[in-house]
Amino acid sequence: MDSNICEVYEDEIQSLEEEIKLLAGKYEDSQQESTFFSDEEILMSIKSFQRELRGESEGYESLSDLKAQLESLETDLSFLMKFTGIQFTSHSKKTLEKTRNRTVRKHRLSGNCRSLSFQLEFQLLEMQNKAGVSAVITDLSIIMEPGGDSDLSKFVSRKRVFKSTRLKNLAFSCNFQAHNALEENRGMLEHLSNMFLKEAKFSRLFSISTEERGSLLTFFRSLSSYAEWYEHRRCTFLHFKVISSVVFTNNLFSNCVFKHTVLS
Amino acid sequence: MEEGKVYASDVFAHLEMLEMRDHEAALKEEEELLQEEKLARLKARVKELRLQRDELRAKLDLQEKRQLEKEGPASDPAQFSPRAVLQWKIKSLQAMLQVFYLTGIGAKLTRRGVCFCISTAYEGTYLGSYYLDLLTKSEVKIYRHSVPAFIPLKQIAEQYLQTDIRRFLSVLSDQLNAYAGRRYQADQLQEHFSDQIKGTLQRNSLYNLLVFNYNVSSKSKTFPFNVRLLYGDLCCSLPTEVIVSCRLDAPASLTETAAAHSDLFRRMPLHKAFRSFSSTG
């Protein structure tokens, strides 16, 4: 009889310990997610930490450990931003669900890649299973700030237009009429036509499928090269007076016409 | 028996029995005492934990209330000790690095150079990641890596590593992501449609050649289809060549089905193609 009571208590202890762990984790997450300290406040904290430790030798070790960790993380992060060209200007997250095996967090990100700015929101589901932790992104929504190109933001978030078209069948043709059809411009025209072909390629990469299929990875992998190309194109356009059009057609109808007109 | 005579051995035996009984009683008492103590301890622990749990719940509720009430930070910044502020910053930087991981790349500066981490994903599901430890002192060299042998790392490195590291990583990432995507599709197929697949899925380690048989039902009869998928573009996770065939004795209507399936396989991920013709029948 007694051993039964013991078991009941022991079970309750185990479940309480688990619950406490979960609640403490939620509280910490919430603290982390709902606070923000600026760089100055960080520096001030380091200084006041140093003041607190005046005289206590053992505290210095942990302070220098923290400082070293901070520095190493900041160096890695600034390297990554420089290397990829992607600067994140703000990041916030909120834990929506947290159980023993499952955590769902909503992330809000904003940043820019060269002259293109973006804002993203997505949910990240992390699950603990035998093989480790798995991560899945859902509910991805992307807003591209027109860095001068509102077409891009349309590409990224347009949901239904291309749904029925088969992207593989998209054919495009480039027609150029140059105001100034001098011989020396013909090479440049070819160059421009290549740029438009690339634009079609990029727009396919960015197309609605990016948002619909939650592919954050694809978006970012294309973003860097697109941003680079975009700047290149912008510079090139400034040199030319060209009337051009790119027509997208599929088997049934043409549903996208772009007119790029540069007049100075 | 002789009256009045008490034998010593009887007395001793009796005393021994009494001693034993006493001993057993003492043991039992001790045991019961221990049990009581254990019970009391457990009870106290439960009480302690319940209190802890209730305090945490109250703290969380208060936090939630503050978040709903005002727009400013829900936690009082004054509650953070300098150490806690630094730990906040560390966690926030780690979260930022995790975001970079989600975009496909991670990096850690080392004494000798940089260690890059390429992450792979297919349509929102993150698959494995691969690391490359690079030396950058004089010329760029790959010191260590976890890229599988069937990915042409050497060729890609020969082409781009010295001149354009970004391009090198981008091309490698394309191939790794496509490989991971092809493998994921095959795994998903086997996980969700194993009842329709006959036998095993034959494939190479690069997962760019897949051959398998699956059942197609028509008019309550099932016919085996054979499909051969060739992924000619290593940077792509959709096949470039699809051959769906059925047996010679299969009804003519099935050739149409085979053509339709072939088209599906060309256009969409394997497991989604299966889902689509499983539902339409």
Side-chain angles (χ1 to χ4, degrees), chain A residues 12 19 30 34 83 137 221, chain B residues 50 57 63 124 166 174:
Chain A
E12 190 176 349
E19 194 183 347
S30 198
S34 57
F83 187 81
I137 288 194
R221 281 174 55 215
Chain B
R50 277 190 192 155
R57 275 195 185 155
Q63 216 181 33
R166 274 194 208 101
D174 283 346

Side-chain angles (χ1 to χ4, degrees), chain A residues 107-243:
Chain A
H107 290 251
R108 269 211 188 102
L109 257 185
S110 62
N112 54 63
C113 187
R114 295 170 191 253
S115 58
L116 298 172
S117 324
F118 55 82
Q119 267 181 58
L120 310 168
E121 254 182 44
F122 58 89
Q123 285 194 17
L124 180 64
L125 160 65
E126 286 170 289
M127 282 192 292
Q128 184 90 32
N129 50 36
K130 270 179 286 176
V133 183
S134 69
V136 181
I137 288 194
T138 53
D139 296 325
L140 173 66
S141 83
I142 304 174
I143 304 174
M144 297 284 301
E145 224 79 29
D149 196 335
S150 60
D151 289 332
L152 182 59
S153 80
K154 276 193 248 147
F155 280 135
V156 168
S157 53
R158 183 170 30 190
K159 284 203 195 276
R160 274 172 233 295
V161 179
F162 281 119
K163 208 162 189 181
S164 57
T165 63
R166 301 172 177 194
L167 290 176
K168 278 250 149 90
N169 292 336
L170 277 176
F172 39 84
S173 56
C174 297
N175 300 317
F176 284 90
Q177 295 166 11
H179 257 313
N180 190 351
L182 287 174
E183 185 68 48
E184 58 241 35
N185 293 337
R186 224 164 279 168
M188 206 34 158
L189 286 180
E190 247 181 68
H191 181 67
L192 277 172
S193 80
N194 285 334
M195 286 176 82
F196 281 116
L197 289 175
K198 259 199 177 171
E199 166 149 20
K201 203 170 87 176
F202 279 122
S203 64
R204 263 212 309 228
L205 282 173
F206 276 133
S207 70
I208 34 91
S209 55
T210 299
E211 213 177 38
E212 242 170 52
R213 293 178 192 167
S215 191
L216 189 75
L217 197 82
T218 315
F219 172 73
F220 276 104
R221 281 174 55 215
S222 325
L223 185 63
S224 287
S225 24
Y226 181 84
E228 214 175 290
W229 167 84
Y230 178 79
E231 278 213 352
H232 179 56
R233 172 187 117 160
R234 206 161 50 117
C235 295
T236 312
F237 269 19
L238 294 173
H239 288 31
F240 258 84
K241 296 179 189 183
V242 170
I243 297 173

Side-chain angles (χ1 to χ4, degrees), chain A residues 66-79, chain B residues 89-95 97 107-108:
Chain A
L66 285 174
K67 275 172 77 178
Q69 207 182 352
L70 211 58
E71 247 178 65
S72 145
L73 287 168
E74 277 175 339
T75 326
D76 290 341
L77 206 55
S78 81
F79 170 77
Chain B
K89 183 68 180 173
I90 287 174
K91 274 202 199 152
S92 137
L93 290 171
Q94 287 168 333
L97 285 168
K108 175 133 195 66

